[in-house]
Amino acid sequence: MGERAVESRANVEGPGDPLLHPREVIAVFDSGFGGLNILEGLRDLLPGEHFVYLGDSKRSPYGDRAPAEVLQFSLEIFAYLRARYRLKLVVVACNTASAIALEALKATSDVPVVGVIDAAVRAMTQATENSRVGVVGTAATIASGVYQRRLAHQAVTAIACPGLVEYVEAGAIDDPALLDRMRTLMRPLRRAGVDTLLLACTHYPYLAAQFRAVLGEGVMLISSGEETAFEVRELLTEAGQVKGRPGVVEPVTFLCTGSVVDFQEVGRRLFAGDLDSVEHVHVDALSQGLLQGHQAPEDIAFASARTLTTNRQEPTSSGHGRPEDEKECTSGQAS
């Protein structure tokens, strides 16, 4: 893999310009880098598909933003991608965006939109033996209550874990301070006796060894990203839409809204594929795409209002008041 960072090429085509890729593509978007592990899983399962990955690294993290902002960003990205590519399917490779914006995206889309929630919930339900399950994610994901509602038939302990993403992106997962931080954060999970833990942030699978060290080998770890990749393959297989030539792995088109150099530097620590060519997308181009795209403003307004109303409920854990150390875990910065 080359070490030289290539010059970014601003993607400034308008929605009326010719589509940038003649074939149908699977678009994957995330607030930054975490979705790269979902992309890697998708490429392993569907090597003949062409993928477009957009990391909104300029506006990352999403986890400490207001739901209305996350919804707006997600709609902008979707409109931008739909205006420029022949989309076969869209993967919302971000737990925060899936929790807040997935239903609004589905309501305005004419292609399948897959988030990281459904497959993970199914896997959790099948894996647990004592019906005591844990969910760790960003502050916004946990506050949305989506996993708590979907797992209401289980005893759920949901914990927001500020600070963990930063260790991953800094390549500091072996820092002893990280393990100390995780021991504090995981205290409510140990008390609850969970036997299954959902890593409801796409960065967290990179910390699987640390989670096992803190919680013990007896706790089953479920990756929302890995389960989503299997769900996408199953969906396309059932629809007879899996494409590609045997033995041929198609390249990925990478887009980012932040620094191309930073995206490559961090991405190369998290993604096994080629990251030598990354195109820069101006944030202004995303908002313009929403204004000029195919969605009718009234459709967007309706979907947005419905989504924000649904996400107004903010449970944190099932049936109990939050202990003091859990309150600490659900405050502060999250990605």
Side-chain angles (χ1 to χ4, degrees), residues 99-163:
I100 292 171
L102 184 64
E103 294 308 314
L105 293 174
K106 287 182 176 180
T108 59
S109 175
D110 53 1
V111 298
V113 181
V114 178
V116 293
I117 296 171
D118 291 346
V121 167
R122 285 196 297 271
M124 288 279 283
T125 302
Q126 294 168 1
T128 183
E129 294 182 357
N130 66 6
S131 293
R132 297 176 185 177
V133 300
V135 180
V136 288
T138 69
T141 296
I142 300 304
S144 76
V146 63
Y147 283 108
Q148 296 93 310
R149 290 192 295 272
R150 296 291 301 278
L151 292 163
H153 55 293
Q154 314 282 354
V156 184
T157 303
I159 305 295
C161 298

Side-chain angles (χ1 to χ4, degrees), residues 65-106:
R65 289 186 176 273
E69 282 188 301
V70 175
L71 178 61
Q72 177 74 13
F73 296 168
S74 300
L75 289 168
E76 289 176 358
I77 291 170
F78 179 79
Y80 181 90
L81 291 169
R82 187 163 67 169
R84 287 157 178 78
Y85 299 95
R86 292 181 60 213
L87 298 179
K88 174 189 288 191
L89 182 144
V90 177
V91 179
V92 185
C94 171
N95 278 270
T96 302
S98 291
I100 292 171
L102 184 64
E103 294 308 314
L105 293 174
K106 287 182 176 180

Side-chain angles (χ1 to χ4, degrees), residues 27-317:
V28 181
F29 78 85
D30 183 54
S31 61
F33 309 98
L36 290 172
N37 77 75
I38 297 182
L39 176 63
E40 197 163 334
L42 287 166
R43 290 190 83 203
D44 287 342
L45 296 175
L46 299 163
E49 299 288 346
H50 184 87
F51 293 93
V52 174
Y53 182 93
L54 192 153
D56 192 11
S57 47
K58 177 74 173 179
R59 300 185 294 193
S60 179
Y62 280 9
D64 57 357
R65 289 186 176 273
E69 282 188 301
V70 175
L71 178 61
Q72 177 74 13
F73 296 168
S74 300
L75 289 168
E76 289 176 358
I77 291 170
F78 179 79
Y80 181 90
L81 291 169
R82 187 163 67 169
R84 287 157 178 78
Y85 299 95
R86 292 181 60 213
L87 298 179
K88 174 189 288 191
L89 182 144
V90 177
V91 179
V92 185
C94 171
N95 278 270
T96 302
S98 291
I100 292 171
L102 184 64
E103 294 308 314
L105 293 174
K106 287 182 176 180
T108 59
S109 175
D110 53 1
V111 298
V113 181
V114 178
V116 293
I117 296 171
D118 291 346
V121 167
R122 285 196 297 271
M124 288 279 283
T125 302
Q126 294 168 1
T128 183
E129 294 182 357
N130 66 6
S131 293
R132 297 176 185 177
V133 300
V135 180
V136 288
T138 69
T141 296
I142 300 304
S144 76
V146 63
Y147 283 108
Q148 296 93 310
R149 290 192 295 272
R150 296 291 301 278
L151 292 163
H153 55 293
Q154 314 282 354
V156 184
T157 303
I159 305 295
C161 298
L164 300 192
V165 168
E166 286 77 1
Y167 281 98
V168 174
E169 295 192 352
I173 64 175
D174 294 323
D175 189 332
L178 169 62
L179 210 56
D180 290 340
R181 175 72 174 153
M182 291 179 69
R183 288 192 183 99
T184 300
L185 291 169
M186 299 302 108
R187 221 175 271 156
L189 298 175
R190 293 197 300 270
R191 280 202 304 266
V194 302
D195 73 343
T196 308
L197 177 65
L198 174 61
L199 307 181
C201 173
T202 48
H203 285 76
Y204 293 176
Y206 299 109
L207 300 175
Q210 286 76 9
F211 279 107
R212 290 192 181 98
V214 172
L215 295 172
E217 294 291 336
V219 176
M220 170 85 68
L221 302 182
I222 303 291
S223 165
S224 58
E226 182 177 311
E227 299 301 328
T228 300
F230 282 110
E231 180 183 18
V232 170
R233 183 180 67 173
E234 182 178 348
L235 191 157
L236 293 180
T237 300
E238 290 178 352
Q241 292 185 311
V242 176
K243 300 284 180 67
R245 294 166 289 170
V248 176
V249 178
E250 294 288 340
V252 178
T253 298
F254 287 101
L255 313 170
C256 75
T257 58
S259 163
V260 168
V261 174
D262 289 348
F263 187 90
Q264 290 173 317
E265 182 181 344
V266 175
R268 284 172 177 154
R269 292 198 295 265
L270 305 178
F271 183 68
D274 185 359
L275 267 166
D276 285 343
S277 180
V278 179
E279 298 182 18
H280 181 259
V281 177
H282 290 291
V283 170
D284 288 347
L286 298 181
S287 57
Q288 289 168 6
L290 180 58
L291 292 174
Q292 300 171 15
H294 299 292
Q295 291 106 322
E298 60 270 21
D299 292 340
I300 296 172
F302 174 76
S304 301
R306 182 177 62 181
T307 300
L308 294 176
T309 299
T310 300
N311 286 328
R312 213 166 273 158
Q313 180 183 358
E314 300 183 353
T316 53
S317 59

